[in-house]
Amino acid sequence: MRVDKYLWCVRYYKTRNMVTEACKKNHITVNGQVAKASKEVFATDKITFRKDQITHIITVLDVPANRVGAKLVDVYRKDETPAESFAHLELLKLSKEHYRKTGTGRPTKKDRRDLDDIEFNTDEDETE
């Protein structure tokens, strides 16, 4: 089975076109080699690809005949992605929302002045 069809069948990408674009950008490797969308995938092959700031590592266990349901995905692949990468993604999401809530727009003049005051106050504390 082609690598683009396989990744679509095991539900890592929503469409085959998205997989093909990832292959064109060299985001997908099979057994350590950059793969084109037409690269054939067999059992025991190791596929590595980057999606949503996570480098996924999967091992092909079997090749499905067509797209499978979400509950049956584990029959066809073994996910070897380290848990730290998912934790790192959660940390990135939390750090982005720390200062300003999503959708509140640019910092106001008051926000900027408050930030400047914070910076100046920390400088004064260090000199004392």
Side-chain angles (χ1 to χ4, degrees):
M1 178 180 280
R2 296 166 50 114
V3 70
D4 62 341
K5 189 170 182 181
Y6 178 80
L7 289 173
W8 171 74
C9 284
V10 293
R11 297 184 170 267
Y12 276 103
Y13 288 90
K14 194 170 182 177
T15 64
R16 281 183 63 186
N17 190 35
M18 292 171 73
V19 185
T20 305
E21 291 299 318
C23 286
K24 287 179 182 175
K25 295 176 183 175
N26 296 334
H27 290 185
I28 298 175
T29 61
V30 177
N31 296 329
Q33 296 180 340
V34 175
K36 292 184 178 179
S38 61
K39 171 83 171 142
E40 290 292 320
V41 175
F42 302 100
T44 71
D45 281 350
K46 188 168 283 207
I47 301 174
T48 307
F49 59 97
R50 187 153 174 86
K51 182 180 178 214
D52 298 332
Q53 296 184 348
I54 296 177
T55 303
H56 294 273
I57 303 167
I58 61 171
T59 302
V60 179
L61 298 178
D62 196 11
V63 178
N66 51 12
R67 190 167 167 99
V68 295
K71 293 181 180 178
L72 300 175
V73 168
D74 290 333
V75 174
Y76 298 102
R77 58 103 174 136
K78 180 180 177 191
D79 194 357
E80 299 173 358
T81 307
E84 299 90 43
S85 58
F86 292 109
H88 181 69
L89 183 65
E90 289 297 319
L91 193 66
L92 280 175
K93 286 181 182 177
L94 290 174
S95 67
K96 287 180 182 177
E97 294 176 357
H98 176 69
Y99 173 64
R100 295 183 62 78
K101 296 291 182 192
T102 306
T104 56
R106 291 177 51 179
T108 62
K109 189 181 272 190
K110 182 181 183 324
D111 291 338
R112 185 182 51 80
R113 287 181 180 149
D114 290 341
L115 282 174
D116 290 342
D117 289 341
I118 291 171
E119 290 174 8
F120 288 125
N121 289 338
T122 57
D123 292 340
E124 293 171 1
D125 294 339
E126 292 173 4
T127 56
E128 291 177 1

